[in-house]
């Protein structure tokens, strides 16, 4: 039936005065089969005929109402037809249209195909535009009438009361339509579907806002403004967050800052900032409390860090790195009314109340730590001058009553914070000095280097460089400096000794950097030139490190036999070693060969103890680097020997470590020997520990190497993990010693063992508040290696718990909900940092061999059933992924496939398969704690997600899962559907529209 015929049929019915049901029977009888009334635009045709005169045709209008009630026409087609009527001066027509809208506006829904649901979204948007235009038109008429009344001119048609009544009617329908979250969600989808159509809304809003100023009825005006603000809020409806948590302590922030300060001082600032922002966003922590928690962790670290290098590292972290972190946090968008400077000020106000913490830190550092921090924050523009002065004076008043150290002790101790702050500009100056050309007069440079070696200057400078991100540059400069002595021509004895010292000091400094901050610092950024520098080669092949096994028979330890013999002869001669024309790089490479020869000769009785002592004195007498190379080989050699064969090599190590107290012909000997001894101690610690021998008598109250031997002896590692975790849980926060112990356990037990046992600890908790505390602590402990731990948690542990009915009881709330929260936090963090390439050096260097092969667990070819899917289908009578008949798309199709995400990446595969598993659980007929877990998991995803982020973990969720999720009461909400759908994709919008329209 053509439209013309449809009009004729309507006119005939009107002429013959058919009742509404007679009209419906006759029109259905004459209509061709299989054609929908919406396709024929029945609603539009009826409305057009009904609205021809100044007032609506009641009979034709009754046909339209009958068509709506009997669902001959869809709500979408009625709203679209309505929005085409633009003559608002015919108030009776407008009134009848609004009455028709009242028939269904309170129960707008659509249970048809996705296209029909998108049609409803578009028609709703058109209806909102129409109502806004109507309100604006009536406001304009009222203004004209007021103007006419004031100027005694001819008034505009229609009485003021009638116009106001029409305006009120339009406003009421607009408010009714827009107050529903479901309707706003559908309009949000329409806005994304057709960006241009939203411009009509904005235009209508603008026009209405202009007209509102002249409205005298304040009640009506207020209601209109409220409706307009609701319309305006539609694009931001997903960014509105819920209420922040009520508690004031956040262990995950505290523990993460402790972890970074203890183990990752050299890490880049940006990943640290992003990880902190991720924690803040996931837990919705208010900014002042967030900044307070960072400062609390810093002060705790300052107080409990071991003396020496670790204390300096923490000082640099607190006074140099964290202010820079806050400066970057300031650049992130805050809330609408928030000012980050005010948040920092509030955080310091809170911190001032923690007097015991501040007093303890001041006592440890022997200075007013807070005032130094306030000055740093003021310099960086994080605090205003007035706030800085106010806070400083408040702290000064508090300090008058603080316990002090004895004044005699005070006088001799220089506060570390002050030294660190002064060391920072010195680092820049030293880098400039080393960069200059020293080929003509290297003596000046030697003076600078000698000064760096005195006291704790080197550790101060390295800590300041590490905290400000300059340590890599520092190390690169010293590698270049270490290469400089290779070039020699016609030198005298003075320049030869300068060359020897430049080589020796740079070598010692580099060894010290590697032992304090890790070899990754140097090896992760290889030399730009083609030739590999000597130190990089020696570091990779010859230097003993924790977790690195060296082969003492490796060719790198004995390059050329002729040169080795010459070196042995030189070391065994009575005359003093000459420095002129010495190739120190070669000497160092040949030293291990020479030591082997000496050791063999001693063991075979060719050399006496005195001869060996003389040789070791010669080795360490001038250039300490030789002694370090000798000890490096001896350590590798001793590791291969039985306990009864170790005596002589260990004696040689002790001889090499004992400083010579005679007059040395080379400068800075005492300073160099101090660094040499500490380097050797670290190298030998493991080997001497095995035999229960000590390198030197222990010093009272001083642990030579912090964080060593933390694992309790004769205790299974499972018990060690359990007792340490319980201790941390009872205390409520993780200290640096606990973090090092956890890292040792992770290395020893492997990722699966470590993660699985800690998840078991979580599942033991039956009280909600304790379970949540465990989640916060575990999340920060898992940051030790977040990527690998997340792969294990999501790829192995969760599937095991979800697919085995014997484990389902452990997923009941509260531990089940807590595990869901932990899983989402880990997934979001790992995905965010992994896709920005932000694995820390600490995580990159750790070897992993206990992760199951993800390609066999999750094959690339979708037609091949994966191990996980076979596991699933074994629990059901029917295969879990058999698609119901009405599913048109693949049950595994997700947004990630449309975005062409690389599925060869293990984390992407694990996430995709976890969501497939969740989808199958939702589609299965069995309900239980595992379905409750799935609901908690999805709720947590919605709560934690950064809204509108296309690259979130939910892109791996199959599209078909949305319709399953809305069957769960807690997730059957329009905002939830919008949050979990990828609205940047047309298919995502259709799936969301279909789910919301059916609610």
């Amino acid at each position: 039936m053509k439209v013309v015929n449809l009009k004729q049929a309507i006119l005939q019915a009107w002429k013959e005065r058919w009742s509404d049901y007679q009209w419906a029977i006759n029109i259905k009888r004459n209509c061709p089969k299989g054609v929908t009334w919406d396709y024929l635009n029945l609603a539009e045709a009826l409305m057009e005929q009904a609205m021809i005169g100044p007032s609506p045709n009641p009979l034709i209008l009754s046909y339209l109402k009958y068509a709506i009630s009997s669902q001959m026409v869809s709500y979408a087609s009625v709203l679209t037809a309505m929005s085409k009527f633009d003559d608002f001066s015919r108030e009776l027509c407008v009134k009848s249209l609004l009455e028709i809208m009242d028939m269904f506006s309170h129960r707008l829904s659509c249970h048809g195909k996705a296209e029909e649901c998108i049609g409803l979204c578009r028609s709703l948007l058109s209806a909102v535009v129409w109502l806004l235009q109507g309100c604006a038109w009536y406001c304009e008429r009222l203004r004209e009438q007021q103007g006419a009344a004031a100027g005694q001119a001819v008034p505009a048609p229609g009485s003021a009361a009638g116009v106001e009544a029409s305006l009120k009617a339009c406003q009421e329908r607009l408010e009714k339509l827009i107050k529903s979250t479901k309707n706003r969600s559908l309009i949000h989808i329409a806005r994304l579907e057709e960006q241009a159509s939203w411009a009509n809304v904005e235009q209508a809003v603008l026009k209405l806002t202009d007209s509102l100023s002249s409205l005298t009825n304040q009640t009506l005006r207020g209601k209109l403004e409220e409706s307009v603000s609701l319309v305006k809020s539609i694009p931001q409806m997903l960014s509105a967050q819920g209420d922040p948590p009520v508690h004031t302590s956040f262990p995950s922030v505290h523990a993460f800052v402790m972890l970074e300060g203890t183990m990752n001082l050299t890490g880049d600032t940006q990943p640290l900032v992003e990880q902190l922002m991720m924690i803040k966003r996931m837990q919705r922590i208010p900014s002042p409390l967030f900044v307070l928690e960072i400062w609390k962790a810093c002060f705790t670290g300052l107080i409990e860090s071991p003396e020496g290098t670790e204390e300096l590292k923490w000082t640099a972290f607190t006074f140099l790195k964290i202010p820079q972190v806050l400066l970057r946090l300031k650049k992130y968008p805050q809330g609408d009314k928030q000012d980050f400077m005010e948040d920092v000020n509030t955080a310091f106000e809170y911190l001032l109340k923690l007097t015991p913490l501040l007093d303890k830190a001041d006592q440890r550092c022997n200075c007013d730590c807070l005032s130094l921090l306030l000055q740093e924050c003021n310099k960086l523009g994080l605090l205003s001058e007035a706030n800085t002065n106010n806070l400083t004076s408040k702290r000064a008043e508090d300090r008058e009553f603080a316990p002090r150290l004895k004044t005699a002790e005070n006088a001799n101790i220089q506060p570390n914070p002050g030294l660190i702050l002064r060391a920072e500009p010195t680092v820049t100056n030293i880098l400039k000095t080393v960069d200059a050309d020293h080929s003509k007069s290297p003596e000046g440079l030697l003076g600078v280097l000698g000064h760096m070696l005195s006291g704790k200057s080197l550790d101060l400078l390295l800590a300041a460089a590490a905290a400000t991100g300059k340590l890599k540059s520092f190390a690169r400069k010293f590698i270049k400096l270490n290469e400089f002595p290779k070039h020699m021509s016609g030198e005298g004895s003075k320049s030869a000794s300068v060359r020897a010292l430049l080589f020796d000091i740079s070598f010692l400094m580099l060894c010290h950097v590697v032992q304090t901050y890790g070899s990754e610092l140097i090896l992760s950024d290889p030399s730009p030139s083609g030739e590999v520098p000597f130190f990089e080669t020696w570091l990779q092949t010859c230097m003993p490190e924790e977790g690195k096994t060296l082969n003492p028979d490796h060719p790198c330890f004995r390059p050329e036999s002729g040169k080795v013999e010459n070196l042995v002869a030189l070391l065994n001669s009575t005359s003093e070693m000459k420095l002129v024309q010495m190739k120190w790089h070669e000497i160092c490479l040949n030293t291990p060969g020479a030591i082997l020869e000496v050791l063999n000769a001693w063991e075979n009785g060719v050399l006496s103890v005195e001869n060996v002592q003389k040789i070791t004195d010669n080795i360490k007498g001038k250039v300490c680097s030789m002694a370090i190379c000798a000890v490096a080989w001896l350590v590798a050699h001793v590791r291969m020997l039985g306990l009864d064969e170790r005596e002589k090599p260990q004696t040689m190590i002790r001889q090499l470590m004992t400083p010579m107290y005679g007059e040395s012909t080379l400068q800075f000997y005492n300073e160099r020997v101090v660094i040499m001894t500490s380097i050797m101690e670290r190298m030998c610690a493991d080997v001497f520990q095995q035999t229960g021998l000590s390198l030197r008598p222990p010093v009272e109250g001083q642990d030579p190497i912090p964080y060593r031997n933390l694992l309790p002896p004769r205790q299974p590692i499972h018990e060690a993990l359990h007792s340490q975790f319980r201790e941390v849980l009872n205390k409520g926060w993780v200290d640096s010693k606990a973090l090092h112990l956890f890292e040792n356990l992770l290395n020893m037990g492997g990722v699966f063992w470590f993660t699985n046992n800690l998840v078991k600890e979580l599942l033991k908790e039956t009280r909600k508040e304790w379970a949540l505390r465990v989640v916060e602590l575990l999340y920060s402990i898992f940051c030790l290696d977040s990527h690998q731990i997340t792969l294990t948690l999501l790829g192995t542990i969760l599937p095991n718990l979800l697919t085995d009915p014997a484990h389902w009881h452990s997923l009941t709330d509260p531990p089940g909900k807590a595990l869901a929260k932990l899983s989402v936090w880990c997934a979001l963090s790992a995905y965010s940092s992994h896709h920005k390439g932000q694995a820390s050096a600490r995580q990159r260097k750790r070897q992993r061999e206990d992760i199951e092969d993800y390609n066999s667990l999750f094959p690339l070819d979708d037609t091949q059933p994966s191990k996980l899917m076979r596991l699933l289908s074994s629990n059901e009578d029917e295969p879990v992924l058999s698609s119901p008949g009405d599913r048109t798309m693949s049950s595994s199709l997700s947004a990630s496939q449309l975005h062409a995400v690389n599925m060869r990446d293990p984390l992407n595969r694990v996430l995709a398969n976890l969501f497939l598993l969740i989808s199958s659980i939702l589609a299965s007929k069995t309900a239980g704690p595992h379905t409750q877990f799935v609901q908690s998991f999805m709720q947590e995803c919605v709560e934690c997600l950064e809204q509108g982020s296309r690259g979130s973990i939910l892109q791996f969720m199959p599209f078909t899962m949305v319709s399953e999720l809305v069957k769960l009461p807690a997730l059957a909400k329009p905002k939830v559907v919008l949050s979990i759908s990828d609205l940047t994709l047309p298919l995502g919008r259709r799936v969301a529209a279909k789910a919301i329209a059916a609610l």
Side-chain angles (χ1 to χ4, degrees), residues 75-76 79 104-110 120 124 177 182-183 186 996-999:
Y75 300 143
L79 287 171
F104 57 83
S105 62
H106 60 285
R107 53 184 169 86
L108 274 173
S109 61
C110 175
L120 178 61
L124 252 175
L177 207 61
K182 176 180 172 178
N183 292 350
L186 292 170
I996 294 171
L999 286 175

Side-chain angles (χ1 to χ4, degrees), residues 391-435:
L391 292 163
T392 310
S393 61
K394 279 184 182 175
R395 178 63 189 145
E397 284 171 32
D398 271 1
R399 285 194 86 219
E400 286 177 20
F401 309 104
R404 302 288 173 96
L405 287 170
K406 296 189 199 83
T407 47
E409 287 178 38
N410 269 358
N412 301 326
I413 302 172
Q414 273 196 299
N416 283 334
L419 293 172
I420 280 284
L421 291 169
R422 287 207 297 279
E424 192 219 352
T426 314
V427 169
T428 315
N429 294 337
I430 288 174
L431 288 174
K432 284 179 191 165
T433 309
V434 177
D435 254 350

Side-chain angles (χ1 to χ4, degrees), residues 210-211 443 504 523 552 610 688 697 798 837 854 894 910 922 953 991:
D210 289 346
S211 311
E443 292 84 359
D504 199 37
L523 299 177
E610 289 75 24
F688 275 78
L798 280 190
Y854 286 100
S894 66
V910 162
L922 289 170
I953 60 169
V991 168

Side-chain angles (χ1 to χ4, degrees), residues 307-320:
E307 264 183 57
T309 317
E310 291 300 317
E311 188 182 350
L312 292 178
K313 279 187 186 179
W314 259 108
T315 311
F317 181 74
T318 304
F319 290 88
L320 295 177

